[in-house]
Amino acid sequence: MNMKGMVFAPLLLILASCIPTTPSQYIQPDDMEDILVDYHLVRALAHNSDVSYDSIPFFQAKCLQSVFRKHGITQEQFDSSMVYYYTRADRFQAIYKRVAERLEERALILGATEGEIGKYASLNATGDTANIWADRTRMAMMPTPPYNRWDFRLDVDSTYQRGDSFLLQFMSDYVYQDGSKNGVVYLACTYEDDNGRDTTISRNLHFLSSGITQLNIPAYDDGDLKELRGFFYLGDGNDRTTTVRLLFLSNVQFIRFHKKHEETKKDSLSQAGVPAGDGEPNLADSLSPGDSVRSGRPVVSLDSGATTDRVVPRRGRPLPR
């Protein structure tokens, strides 16, 4: 061996020793990635099936068993491997990032066939009704920092108009062995009026079960949009046990609706037989008990009294309590 080889050989050994390895009794990362892709697809299939709501857990378990047979593993191997990666959150997040990318490329995206999500799926960032979400559309969350919070901020440009309203919607999928589910979504819009004064409208809600969740910000005419931000949060992170508690968010969309021109709206209302002046409700009428309107200062914390704008049952079935 020449001198150059003698120098690099020890370095290669050191680098190899720094690469984390997975014990052989657990599913290896590449295999786990393949399994998780199929895992999420069959969970979506079960929820979107025509079986009764009470039959979903049985149908879902049956579909998952087919995934395990396909990959030559048992339920016990899968569960123990999930716990292993769950306790090594950085490795799990790296695996799930690749899983999310692969799911995005598949023709079947979780919940994409559901009307409330699917009707906006083809929108781009332009037009009177536009999907302006530019962040990732999938995220795996755990109830322990820093994986329990996902902050986002949307760029504000000249395409926004006074009187715009907004809809944030997404699919949630809880994978919990036990424990209470406590997901929170928060959204704040800050406007600047003609006198340079800021007004922030904020809304937040708790979503406690899997399904479609929608959060609305009503139209505001008295200022130009200055800032649009928010976050997703998974609570109850005090329990440090190895019990698997995961929240998967997917199909995140943020829809902007331009307010129709006043003349067009009046004509439409007139043709519909609605008296002049009976148009859309104003901001005060639109706000719910969990909403917040603050003038002159930004919102810096989660508001109390959260209220759910809308949680949509799948195929008309009631949501679990």
Side-chain angles (χ1 to χ4, degrees), residues 47 53 114 116-117 167-174 183-185 203-216 306-321:
H47 276 291
Y53 189 83
E114 302 216 21
E116 294 291 336
I117 288 284
L167 167 67
L168 174 63
Q169 64 177 7
F170 55 92
M171 296 287 295
S172 59
D173 186 14
Y174 283 98
V184 180
V185 58
R203 281 191 163 183
N204 67 85
L205 65 87
H206 292 255
F207 53 100
L208 309 180
S209 58
S210 301
I212 304 174
T213 301
Q214 297 176 318
L215 179 64
N216 294 278
T307 180
T308 300
D309 276 16
R310 196 176 186 201
V311 178
V312 183
R314 288 184 169 92
R315 295 186 177 275
R317 294 186 290 268
L319 288 174
R321 296 294 182 184

Side-chain angles (χ1 to χ4, degrees), residues 65-82:
Q65 287 302 319
S66 68
V67 170
F68 299 149
R69 286 195 299 269
K70 172 185 174 181
H71 293 278
I73 63 170
T74 64
Q75 175 82 56
E76 291 73 19
Q77 287 175 308
F78 177 77
D79 290 343
S80 64
S81 297
M82 284 290 283

Side-chain angles (χ1 to χ4, degrees), residues 35-212:
I35 295 167
L36 283 172
V37 169
D38 289 339
Y39 176 85
H40 285 290
L41 290 176
V42 299
R43 284 178 67 89
L45 174 64
H47 276 291
N48 292 327
S49 65
D50 291 323
V51 301
S52 65
Y53 189 83
D54 293 338
S55 301
I56 286 181
F58 172 78
F59 183 63
Q60 190 175 76
K62 186 177 180 180
C63 291
L64 289 175
Q65 287 302 319
S66 68
V67 170
F68 299 149
R69 286 195 299 269
K70 172 185 174 181
H71 293 278
I73 63 170
T74 64
Q75 175 82 56
E76 291 73 19
Q77 287 175 308
F78 177 77
D79 290 343
S80 64
S81 297
M82 284 290 283
V83 171
Y84 172 80
Y85 287 110
Y86 181 80
T87 57
R88 293 156 179 80
D90 54 340
R91 298 192 67 187
F92 177 82
Q93 289 290 327
I95 291 173
Y96 192 77
K97 182 177 184 296
R98 295 191 295 272
V99 170
E101 291 170 351
R102 289 175 59 179
L103 287 171
E104 294 286 359
E105 296 172 355
R106 300 290 292 265
L108 176 59
I109 298 178
L110 292 180
T113 58
E114 302 216 21
E116 294 291 336
I117 288 284
K119 68 182 180 182
Y120 296 121
S122 62
L123 291 177
N124 55 29
T126 61
D128 289 342
T129 302
N131 181 14
I132 57 176
W133 185 259
D135 205 331
R136 70 183 77 178
T137 61
R138 295 176 181 275
M139 169 66 74
M141 302 182 70
M142 305 175 181
T144 52
Y147 308 105
N148 62 338
R149 179 161 169 153
W150 174 13
D151 288 87
F152 60 85
R153 185 184 300 269
L154 281 74
D155 293 333
V156 176
D157 54 32
S158 59
T159 62
Y160 292 83
Q161 302 175 7
R162 288 196 179 191
D164 283 349
S165 57
F166 304 98
L167 167 67
L168 174 63
Q169 64 177 7
F170 55 92
M171 296 287 295
S172 59
D173 186 14
Y174 283 98
V175 180
Y176 269 48
Q177 290 181 331
D178 60 37
S180 59
K181 307 174 182 68
N182 186 22
V184 180
V185 58
Y186 173 85
L187 183 62
C189 297
T190 299
Y191 300 87
E192 183 177 7
D193 64 18
D194 295 332
N195 297 317
R197 186 183 182 189
D198 289 350
T199 295
T200 296
I201 302 171
S202 66
R203 281 191 163 183
N204 67 85
L205 65 87
H206 292 255
F207 53 100
L208 309 180
S209 58
S210 301
I212 304 174

